Amino acid sequence: MLRTIAISSVLLPGLVAAQVAGAQSGQTSPPSYPSPWMEGGNGWDDAYAKAQAFVSQLSLLEKVNLTTGVGWEGEQCVGNTGSIPRLNFRGFCMQDSPLGVRFADLVSAFPAGINTAATWSRTLFNARGNAMGSEHRGKGVDVQLGPVSGPLGRVPEGGRNWEGFSPDPVLTGIAMAETIKGIQGAGVIACAKHYILNEQEHFRDKSSTSEASSSNMDDTTMHETYLWPFADAVKAGVGSVMCSYNQINNSYGCQNSYTLNHILKNELDFQGFVMSDWAAQHAGVASALAGLDMTMPGDQGFDSNTSYWGGNLTASILNGTIPQWRLDDMAVRIMSAYFKVGRDSARIPVNFDSWTTNTTGYLHALDPTRDVQVVNQHVNVQDDHAKLIRQIGQRSTVLLKNTNGALPLHMPASVAVIGEDAHSNPGGPNNCSDRGCDIGTLAMGWGSGTVNFPYLVAPVDALRAQAATDNSRFANYSNNYDLKSAQMTAANASVAIVFVNSDSGEGYITVDGNAGDRNNLTLWGNGDALVAAVASSNKNTIVVMHTVGPVIVEAMKNNPNVSAILWAGLPGQESGNAITDILYGKANPAAKSVFTWGKDRADWGVDVLYTANGSPPQIDFTEGNFIDYRHFDQAGIAPSYEFGFGLSYTNFSYSNLQIQKQNAAAYVPTTGQTKAAPTFGTIDTSVADNSYPPGFDGVKFYIYPYLDSTTPVNNGTKTPVPPNSQSSSPQPKLPAGGAPGGNSGLYDVLYTVTAKITNTGKVDGIEVPQMYISLGGPNDPKIVLRGFDDLSIKAGQSATFKADIQRRDISNWDTVSQNWVISSYPKTVYVGSSSRNLQLKAVLNGNNYNGGYGGNGNNGGNYGNGGYGNNNNNNNYYNNNNNNNNGGWENHGGEGNNGGHDGNNGQSGDGGHW
Ligand code: NOJ
C-alpha cells in the first residue's frame, strides 16, 4: 500500500504538496550503472597519479589480491587483503575500532563517539581522531574502521548509536569530518561506516532463515538526514567507506547500485574505495558492478574457505562478465587512498595480533602447520593520550540538573559513593570479551566498536583519593540490589553520589537479554530503584549516569532530594578522574546533550523493530526527517531535557545577533560528462597463468586469487548483467554532484552570523552557542541545527560567536530536479544555548536568499526551469512506480553469485539468478 508521509521535497508555495512515498514496505531501489570510475581532482590528483602508476604494473592476480580479503583470521588484523610479493607489498591491514585499536595491548581506550560529540569541540574531534590514528599507525594498521555515522541514532534503543556521534546529522557530519582529518593526518586511512541506514541491530544480518532487514527510505530524508554526514565525510577526503549489512529499499547495502554508484560515487563524487562490512557481501558480479571495491574479510562466511571474489573475480574478468576497467578502478581507488594519506611513508609492519595475546603464535591463526613466530611485539602506542582522554571525559559530561549550587563539591565533610557502576569489574575491565557484559563501571559499550582497556579508573577510586586529599569521611557501597545497605551508607553523608548505567552494543552479543539494541530505556541493574532509595535517605543525592544514550530520568529530575544529575556517557579509560574533575569543579561542565531525553519511550515516535514483520523484515522510515528533537518539536512533546541542553557552574547571556550576507557566486548545477573509463596495464588472459601453480602449498582457509579447476572461466552460458553496467563510455555527471561531498556550490558561505556571548557568572567557563535555522516550509522541521562553537569565556567577559551559513544549510533536497534548492519560504535564524532556549532570532531576508546569490533559479518560481530535471515526474527516486523496470536487478535479495561464471561456490539465497 502506498503510504503518504508528511515529508516532502521542497514545495512551491501555492502548489499542492506532492505525495511523497518512499518509506514503505516492499519499496525497491532503482538501478544505476555503470559504476563511476575514479577521476581524481579535488585533492586526489597526486594520489591518483601514484595509484595509476602502481596499478599499471600489476597482473590480474595482483589486482584481485588488492580487492579480496584473505579470509577471517587469515592474518593478524580483523581484515587483511592479499599481498603483492613480487613488489614486496604486504596486504592491507584493516582494524577496528572507532574508539581505538581493537584486540591489542598497550593502546588507549578513548571516549566513545557519543561523548566526543557532547564536547561540541571541533578541536577535540580532530585531536581524538589524530591520537587514534597515530595509535593505529604505530601498530601497523592501514585502515582504522571508523568513524561511524550509521547508525545515526534514529531510535534511542539502537545498540550501536554510541559508536557514532548524535542523531543530529549536522553535528555528526562535523564530527565525522574532523575525526577523519585527524585520523588521516596521522597517516592512516579512515573508514566512514556503516553506509547506510544501519539503524538497528535486530535483523541487520542475513541469516540462514531470512534475508537482512530492509530500511525503507524516501529520497528527501535520505539527503536531508542520513546521507548528510556521509557527504561531510567524503568532502573531508575519507579514503574508505564501509557498506552496511542491511538492505536499503530491499537491495543489499553492498550491492545496491543506487546507494553506491549513484549517490556515493556519482553524486558525492567519492574517490576512495568501498569495502564491505564483514560478510555483508552476498554476490560476486552483482556487488562488483554495483560499486563494491573490496570484500571483507574475503570469505563468504567466516572461515568458509569460499569467496565471492578471489578466484571468482579473476574468472569474471577473464570471461568478460566484469570489465577490466571495473577491476582497475577498484585497485586504483584502494591505492589512491593509500597514497593520499601517505601510507607509502607511514607504513610499518603489523606488530600485533588480533587472535592471541601471546607474544608468539601462528602468523595465520587457522593454520597450525606453519609460521610460528613473534606476532605480538607489544609496541606501546599510548603516548600521552590519557590527558586528552581525561579532557574529553570532562568536556563530555553533561550537567543536567544542579539545584542550589549542589555542585561543585567543596571539601564535603563526608562522601558516600554508591552503585556498582562506581566500582571496578572484579574480573578486570576486559573480563568480558568485546566488553559483552555490564559488570562494574561502564566506560564503553560492547561489540566490535571496542578496545581492550589498558586500565580503567573507576569513579570510586578517584573519588576516594579526592576525599583523602580533602579529609572527607568516605564510604562506598556497590550492591545495587541491597537497597537497605545502600540507604544506610548514604544516610549520614554530606553528599551521596550514586552511579548508574545503561548499556548496549553490537547484535552478535546479547547481554542481559538485550540483543545489541536495548530492550527499554530504563537504567540497568536496578538503577532506578537504587536512585530512589538513596534519595529517600539523603537530601543531597547526586546521580551520575554512564549510559549509551537517553534513559528515562523524569522521576529523578522531579525528585527534590536529587540535587544534581550528570550524564557522563562512555568516557573511556580515564572515567573516574574525569568525573571527579567535574564534581569538584576542577573543570567546569561545558557539554550539551547530543540527544533528547524523552519522558517515555513512546515520545520518540519510532522504535526498534524487534519482531520480524515479514521476510525480509521491513523497517519503514515513515517519520522521515523527524527523528530526535525534530520529532519532539513537531509533535509538541516536552522532553525532560532537550537536545543541546547542558548547564555550567557559571551563566551566559546572549545578545547582539548580526547577520552578514556574503558575496557567494550563483549555484551552478553540474553538467557535462566524465571521460571514458580508463584501464591500467594489460591483462594476461591465459587460464594457465591465472590458475593455482602446480603443487601450490596454500595456507589453510586462505582466499587466493587463483582460478581453480572447479572455477569455470566460461561455461558457455552468459549471465545477464544489468543494462549499461559494463559500459566504459563517458557518463553524465549529476547536477548535485561534481565534487567530493556534492556540488561545491553547496558549501559556499551565503551568510555569516555573529552574536555576543557574555559570561555573567563568577567562574570561567566554556559555552557552546548553537545556531538553528527554520527552513520555513510546511514539511520542514521546526528548527534544524546548522552551526555551533565552543567558546572559552572568562568570568565577566564576552566572546563573539561566529557561524557560517552555507548554501546547503538553507536548502532542501528537491526530488524533481534531483538537486538542492532554496525554497522561498521565510527562513529564520536562531542562536541559543539549547534547541529550546533560543535567545536570539532574526529572519533571513527573502530577497537575499532568493535573488542575491542564487541567481539562476533558487527562487521558488524558477527552480524547476533551469534545464535540469524540470518535469520528470519523479517525485521520489525510491518510488516503486519509478523503478525503471529493474525487476530482477536490484531487489531480489539473496541472488546467487553469478550464474555459472564464477558461481560454483557462490550460491546463496535463491541462487537462481544473479
Ligand atoms: C562488523 C561490524 O559491523 C563492523 O563495524 C566491524 O568493523 C567489522 N565487524 C569488523 O570487526
Side-chain angles (χ1 to χ4, degrees):
M1 197 187 87
L2 202 73
R3 184 98 142 261
T4 304
I5 51 174
I7 51 170
S8 156
S9 56
V10 174
L11 299 172
L12 304 184
L15 291 189
V16 178
Q19 284 203 344
V20 177
Q24 66 206 26
S25 295
Q27 179 68 285
T28 61
S29 186
S32 177
Y33 299 98
S35 186
W37 36 90
M38 182 180 182
E39 297 217 302
N42 298 293
W44 286 84
D45 278 342
D46 190 38
Y48 185 42
K50 288 180 181 155
Q52 283 181 40
F54 185 88
V55 171
S56 297
Q57 55 178 333
L58 302 185
S59 69
L60 170 58
L61 295 173
E62 289 166 343
K63 288 174 183 173
V64 168
N65 249 4
L66 283 178
T67 69
T68 303
V70 298
W72 180 242
E73 297 175 298
E75 296 275 347
Q76 290 156 279
C77 302
V78 295
N80 312 269
T81 65
S83 58
I84 305 172
R86 185 176 62 87
L87 301 178
N88 200 21
F89 186 87
R90 72 160 164 89
F92 277 69
C93 159
M94 265 62 65
Q95 191 69 8
D96 294 309
S97 77
L99 55 68
V101 187
R102 186 184 180 202
F103 291 149
D105 59 5
L106 302 169
V107 297
S108 304
F110 288 87
I114 201 163
N115 278 66
T116 310
T119 70
W120 301 69
S121 164
R122 289 170 177 76
T123 313
L124 291 175
F125 299 165
N126 191 298
R128 172 176 168 273
N130 198 253
M132 293 192 302
S134 77
E135 296 203 7
H136 279 91
R137 187 189 61 215
K139 291 284 186 185
V141 174
D142 293 302
V143 184
Q144 175 178 355
L145 299 173
V148 171
S149 54
L152 184 65
R154 170 182 184 250
V155 284
E157 300 85 359
R160 300 183 75 181
N161 292 353
W162 56 272
E163 290 187 45
F165 298 100
S166 161
D168 183 86
V170 171
L171 175 55
T172 291
I174 292 169
M176 288 291 283
E178 290 302 327
T179 305
I180 288 161
K181 287 184 214 160
I183 293 171
Q184 298 198 159
V188 168
I189 301 168
C191 178
K193 68 185 192 182
H194 309 82
Y195 183 76
I196 191 170
L197 307 180
N198 187 170
E199 294 292 324
Q200 65 168 59
E201 292 303 287
H202 282 76
F203 314 119
R204 70 166 185 171
D205 271 335
K206 182 178 164 85
S207 71
S208 52
T209 52
S210 172
E211 301 298 331
S213 57
S214 174
S215 297
N216 298 322
M217 169 58 50
D218 69 277
D219 193 17
T220 302
T221 308
M222 180 69 139
H223 283 85
E224 295 183 1
T225 295
Y226 294 93
L227 185 65
W228 186 292
F230 282 102
D232 287 328
V234 173
K235 188 167 192 312
V238 73
S240 67
V241 167
M242 186 189 290
C243 51
S244 55
Y245 284 122
N246 55 289
Q247 305 193 62
I248 301 111
N249 292 339
N250 293 291
S251 174
Y252 272 105
C254 292
Q255 63 191 63
N256 186 317
S257 68
Y258 196 78
T259 55
L260 298 178
N261 286 343
H262 184 89
I263 298 184
L264 182 64
K265 289 186 170 176
N266 197 343
E267 187 184 321
L268 297 188
D269 198 32
F270 174 54
Q271 301 289 302
F273 64 97
V274 176
M275 83 170 78
S276 71
D277 200 342
W278 268 233
Q281 186 192 28
H282 301 301
V285 169
S287 60
L289 297 177
L292 183 69
D293 301 304
M294 180 188 281
T295 175
M296 277 293 132
D299 35 14
Q300 288 179 16
F302 288 2
D303 305 333
S304 65
N305 205 21
T306 57
S307 179
Y308 290 113
W309 285 4
N312 284 322
L313 182 55
T314 305
S316 301
I317 299 292
L318 291 178
N319 68 27
T321 320
I322 299 173
Q324 185 194 332
W325 65 256
R326 180 73 268 271
L327 175 65
D328 288 358
D329 185 55
M330 296 175 190
V332 155
R333 285 172 175 275
I334 292 165
M335 291 311 300
S336 293
Y338 175 92
F339 288 116
K340 185 168 197 297
V341 305
R343 290 299 300 146
D344 43 337
S345 52
R347 205 178 211 197
I348 57 168
V350 175
N351 55 47
F352 72 103
D353 193 291
S354 299
W355 321 115
T356 178
T357 53
N358 296 339
T359 300
T360 54
Y362 303 117
L363 180 60
H364 312 290
L366 300 177
D367 192 344
T369 63
R370 62 172 79 217
D371 296 333
V372 177
Q373 61 182 65
V374 171
V375 288
N376 276 307
Q377 293 175 32
H378 310 291
V379 178
N380 191 332
V381 293
Q382 296 169 96
D383 209 323
D384 63 351
H385 298 155
K387 283 188 200 147
L388 176 66
I389 292 168
R390 182 168 180 165
Q391 187 188 8
I392 297 175
Q394 299 162 354
R395 286 288 307 273
S396 60
T397 302
V398 185
L399 180 61
L400 292 168
K401 176 179 179 182
N402 191 16
T403 312
N404 299 328
L407 292 177
L409 301 174
H410 184 67
M411 301 181 83
S414 54
V415 180
V417 174
I418 294 162
E420 182 186 324
D421 182 70
H423 296 78
S424 297
N425 180 337
N430 301 317
N431 193 30
C432 309
S433 148
D434 289 337
R435 312 297 77 77
C437 63
D438 187 28
I439 303 172
T441 193
L442 184 69
M444 67 179 71
W446 76 74
S448 66
T450 56
V451 301
N452 291 334
F453 286 102
Y455 59 84
L456 172 54
V457 180
V460 72
D461 296 328
L463 287 166
R464 186 186 287 113
Q466 178 66 44
T469 312
D470 296 345
N471 276 330
S472 304
R473 190 154 52 81
F474 188 83
N476 61 300
Y477 191 72
S478 69
N479 185 335
N480 282 11
Y481 292 89
D482 184 348
L483 299 179
K484 274 235 148 50
S485 301
Q487 283 173 318
M488 272 164 59
T489 311
N492 297 315
S494 333
V495 55
I497 311 174
V498 192
F499 284 80
V500 286
N501 70 33
S502 169
D503 201 358
S504 73
E506 195 172 342
Y508 67 90
I509 299 176
T510 294
V511 177
D512 204 7
N514 296 265
D517 304 315
R518 285 187 286 171
N519 289 338
N520 53 54
L521 298 179
T522 53
L523 289 168
W524 285 34
N526 208 31
D528 293 297
L530 182 70
V531 169
V534 171
S536 71
S537 74
N538 190 307
K539 288 193 163 46
N540 189 19
T541 295
I542 290 167
V543 180
V544 178
M545 299 183 290
H546 288 122
T547 70
V548 290
V551 289
I552 306 301
V553 293
E554 192 60 11
M556 65 174 94
K557 179 187 174 189
N558 294 330
N559 187 328
N561 289 356
V562 174
S563 46
I565 305 176
L566 300 109
W567 177 80
L570 303 170
Q573 69 192 42
E574 286 285 322
S575 175
N577 290 333
I579 193 65
T580 303
D581 294 340
I582 290 286
L583 291 169
Y584 282 81
K586 288 182 247 178
N588 191 347
K592 308 271 188 171
S593 183
V594 296
F595 47 78
T596 302
W597 299 76
K599 294 179 184 165
D600 185 285
R601 78 184 288 175
D603 287 355
W604 276 267
V606 282
D607 212 325
V608 168
L609 180 77
Y610 292 98
T611 310
N613 56 5
S615 181
Q618 300 291 307
I619 304 175
D620 300 339
F621 287 43
T622 49
E623 72 289 344
N625 288 319
F626 294 93
I627 61 171
D628 199 70
Y629 69 90
R630 300 166 187 216
H631 166 72
F632 280 78
D633 290 349
Q634 181 204 35
I637 297 171
S640 297
Y641 299 108
E642 72 270 20
F643 176 87
F645 176 79
L647 301 169
S648 162
Y649 296 150
T650 186
N651 293 302
F652 299 96
S653 70
Y654 284 61
S655 62
N656 197 22
L657 179 65
Q658 302 280 342
I659 300 182
Q660 176 74 41
K661 182 170 171 276
Q662 303 294 338
N663 256 341
Y667 184 60
V668 184
T670 299
T671 53
Q673 293 206 317
T674 67
K675 299 192 185 108
T679 52
F680 303 107
T682 46
I683 277 179
D684 172 358
T685 54
S686 137
V687 169
D689 289 353
N690 289 298
S691 298
Y692 275 97
F696 183 76
D697 174 27
V699 175
K700 285 194 173 32
F701 292 102
Y702 214 75
I703 304 300
Y704 288 101
Y706 302 112
L707 304 169
D708 64 28
S709 52
T710 59
T711 313
V713 173
N714 193 341
N715 66 0
T717 5
K718 272 277 170 203
T719 300
V721 293
N724 223 20
S725 60
Q726 296 170 326
S727 170
S728 59
S729 307
Q731 298 294 316
K733 297 185 175 176
L734 296 174
N743 192 315
S744 59
L746 296 171
Y747 301 93
D748 289 345
V749 176
L750 306 188
Y751 298 92
T752 302
V753 174
T754 54
K756 184 177 173 190
I757 317 293
T758 305
N759 181 340
T760 58
K762 294 199 172 58
V763 290
D764 300 349
I766 298 171
E767 173 66 341
V768 176
Q770 298 151 47
M771 177 180 73
Y772 295 85
I773 297 181
S774 162
L775 295 174
N779 299 310
D780 288 318
K782 193 170 161 199
I783 51 167
V784 285
L785 179 77
R786 288 298 191 249
F788 58 85
D789 204 354
D790 57 322
L791 301 175
S792 273
I793 314 178
K794 293 209 174 312
Q797 296 195 357
S798 301
T800 301
F801 167 67
K802 179 170 167 297
D804 288 335
I805 299 179
Q806 299 176 336
R807 180 173 277 113
R808 183 177 62 152
D809 292 330
I810 54 170
S811 298
N812 291 84
W813 179 251
D814 177 40
T815 59
V816 177
S817 61
Q818 287 292 296
N819 206 344
W820 294 89
V821 297
I822 301 175
S823 74
S824 57
Y825 294 111
K827 316 250 174 280
T828 314
V829 176
Y830 300 88
V831 174
S833 59
S834 81
S835 65
R836 290 194 171 208
N837 195 9
L838 303 165
Q839 288 93 332
L840 307 174
K841 167 182 173 184
V843 174
L844 274 187
N845 183 332
N847 289 334
N848 288 347
Y849 58 79
N850 278 332
Y853 56 79
N856 67 338
N858 290 321
N859 174 315
N862 293 334
Y863 79 85
N865 300 331
Y868 52 98
N870 49 346
N871 55 10
N872 64 5
N873 268 340
N874 179 10
N875 280 326
N876 174 12
Y877 231 91
Y878 289 99
N879 191 319
N880 239 341
N881 303 325
N882 184 37
N883 65 3
N884 301 329
N885 302 320
N886 64 329
W889 299 123
E890 291 286 335
N891 296 299
H892 37 69
E895 59 268 41
N897 196 16
N898 32 39
H901 288 275
D902 62 1
N904 62 311
N905 55 9
Q907 302 299 323
S908 68
D910 61 19
H913 52 298
W914 74 269

